[in-house]
Amino acid sequence: MRQFLIAGLSGIALSMTGTAAFAADVTLKLHQMLPPQATIPSKVLQPWAEKIQAESGGRIAVELYPAMQLGGKPADLVDQVKDGVVDLTWTVIGYTPGRFPKSEAFELPFMVTTAEATSLAFQDYYEKHLKDELSDYHVLAVHTHGPGLIHTIGSKPVAKLEDMQGLKLRGTSKVINQMLEAMGASAIGMPVTAVPESLSKGVIDGSVVPWEVTPAIKIAELAPNHTAFSGPNGLYTGTFLFAMNKDSYEALPDDLKKVIDDNSGKELARLFGQAMDAGDIRGKDIADKAGNTTITLDETETARWKAAGEAVTKAWIAEMDGKGLDGTALYNDALALIQANSK
């Protein structure tokens, strides 16, 4: 369903990117879950919207609607863009458990390296394996965040695998929740926007998130203990989709489609990843300046966590096999693409 505002009907279209008003042929609504000052909205989505406006000669305007301003919950975003309620969305793929099963390969334990490398790998994986799974969308890019960490309340950080026992930890997706359970915690699924209230009320003992998102959800203040891992691979990552409604894209004239196309694909995935990596540095710096406790588990202890996570990987491969997919091939290809893009 098209959600365009035609300039001839409204006189002018106002972009909500902070730029001046201009006459536009088409206005696209971009809806997402985080506040405008968060890393991706401020460092990628707003610059992308401004670039689209500039390269279209002002013929495309992009209205930015952060923090679910158009209604619904974060898990609704994939349907909002599919059904044409909005024209564009950026969202977490794992907020709709089981709906995009092949994408879950990147969420398995100890896959992620940097956000940039893993995002490039995930874009390659999309081109090879996910076009059918995401066929309801005009995909602009997919990406991941950087290495996820454990952040907990109280006075002691998680220092060994046994410290996970009895902890109520917020997880991002089905696979990540399974990972937390395999490591001894009680996993509680919720969108990242619900984490601050849940921490402050003691509903959860902590959360897994990358450093990048911690400032936006007050992790440094609410959960001042942080646990990271040795080696090139982080505990986990989450997967993200930046997509356009198919009808909205098809309704564009060819020259405006080209503007969208020129700002889609692997280089856009790279920009998402680079922003996430830079956000990780900023997030850790805030925690350090607050005097928080951050520990990095040594290689021996990290190996114990990897061993615990192997059961989750094996279960996922078996689940994919049961769906008629080659789970081993998908997993191995994800690993190979991450390794290739991490060089």
Side-chain angles (χ1 to χ4, degrees):
M1 180 173 102
R2 292 172 56 190
Q3 295 293 317
F4 293 155
L5 299 178
I6 307 302
L9 298 177
S10 59
I12 59 172
L14 298 179
S15 171
M16 298 178 69
T17 62
T19 58
F22 58 89
D25 297 330
V26 172
T27 298
L28 304 175
K29 297 180 180 180
L30 196 170
H31 196 207
Q32 55 87 20
M33 75 204 90
L34 292 182
Q37 68 270 22
T39 298
I40 294 302
S42 65
K43 304 299 183 182
V44 182
L45 299 182
Q46 180 165 331
W48 183 88
E50 292 171 352
K51 195 164 184 281
I52 293 295
Q53 173 191 319
E55 292 184 8
S56 70
R59 292 170 61 201
I60 301 177
V62 180
E63 292 182 345
L64 303 177
Y65 292 92
M68 302 305 298
Q69 285 182 349
L70 295 180
K73 300 176 181 178
D76 299 331
L77 288 168
V78 289
D79 284 325
Q80 288 184 358
V81 74
K82 178 175 73 72
D83 297 338
V85 176
V86 299
D87 301 295
L88 297 155
T89 197
W90 171 74
T91 189
V92 177
I93 295 175
Y95 281 172
T96 49
R99 188 160 169 179
F100 309 104
K102 288 187 287 185
S103 71
E104 295 167 354
F106 276 69
E107 298 177 340
L108 293 168
F110 295 100
M111 298 283 284
V112 60
T113 55
T114 66
E116 180 179 357
T118 311
S119 293
L120 292 172
F122 192 40
Q123 183 70 30
D124 288 341
Y125 185 87
Y126 160 75
E127 297 290 345
K128 293 181 69 174
H129 300 296
L130 299 182
K131 287 193 171 182
D132 58 341
E133 199 163 270
L134 293 169
S135 61
D136 287 334
Y137 310 90
H138 181 79
V139 175
L140 304 174
V142 296
H143 73 98
T144 73
H145 61 61
L149 296 87
I150 300 169
H151 311 268
T152 54
I153 62 176
S155 59
K156 294 182 179 180
V158 172
K160 57 184 182 299
L161 190 59
E162 288 78 10
D163 293 340
M164 292 283 279
Q165 294 295 324
L167 284 182
K168 295 178 291 184
L169 294 181
R170 171 262 177 187
T172 305
S173 69
K174 181 190 74 174
V175 171
I176 294 163
N177 288 346
Q178 289 170 343
M179 177 192 73
L180 294 175
E181 296 277 355
M183 293 171 175
S186 296
I188 299 175
M190 64 177 67
V192 71
T193 51
V195 169
E197 182 177 8
S198 297
L199 285 171
S200 63
K201 291 184 176 180
V203 174
I204 54 177
D205 299 309
S207 179
V208 288
V209 290
W211 281 119
E212 171 272 323
V213 79
T214 56
I217 57 174
K218 301 181 179 179
I219 287 289
E221 173 186 343
L222 297 171
N225 307 299
H226 318 286
T227 301
F229 298 83
S230 294
N233 301 98
L235 178 62
Y236 81 97
T237 190
T239 58
F240 297 80
L241 171 67
F242 185 35
M244 186 171 180
N245 173 266
K246 292 185 76 170
D247 288 344
S248 296
Y249 175 80
E250 290 300 331
L252 295 173
D254 287 345
D255 59 337
L256 294 187
K257 285 180 182 175
K258 185 177 186 302
V259 173
I260 299 294
D261 295 345
D262 289 347
N263 290 279
S264 302
K266 197 163 183 178
E267 288 308 307
L268 180 56
R270 186 190 300 276
L271 292 177
F272 276 111
Q274 289 174 339
M276 287 292 199
D277 284 333
D280 282 345
I281 295 171
R282 288 191 298 271
K284 187 176 186 304
D285 185 59
I286 289 171
D288 290 344
K289 288 180 178 178
N292 290 1
T293 300
T294 301
I295 65 169
T296 300
L297 303 184
D298 63 25
E299 291 182 3
T300 300
E301 183 61 26
T302 297
R304 298 180 66 219
W305 292 68
K306 289 182 178 179
E310 287 177 1
V312 178
T313 299
K314 290 178 181 177
W316 181 82
I317 290 172
E319 181 184 351
M320 294 304 103
D321 290 345
K323 295 177 182 292
L325 304 169
D326 189 338
T328 299
L330 291 169
Y331 171 70
N332 286 338
D333 204 25
L335 274 178
L337 289 169
I338 291 170
Q339 291 169 356
N341 282 282
S342 297
K343 294 178 180 179

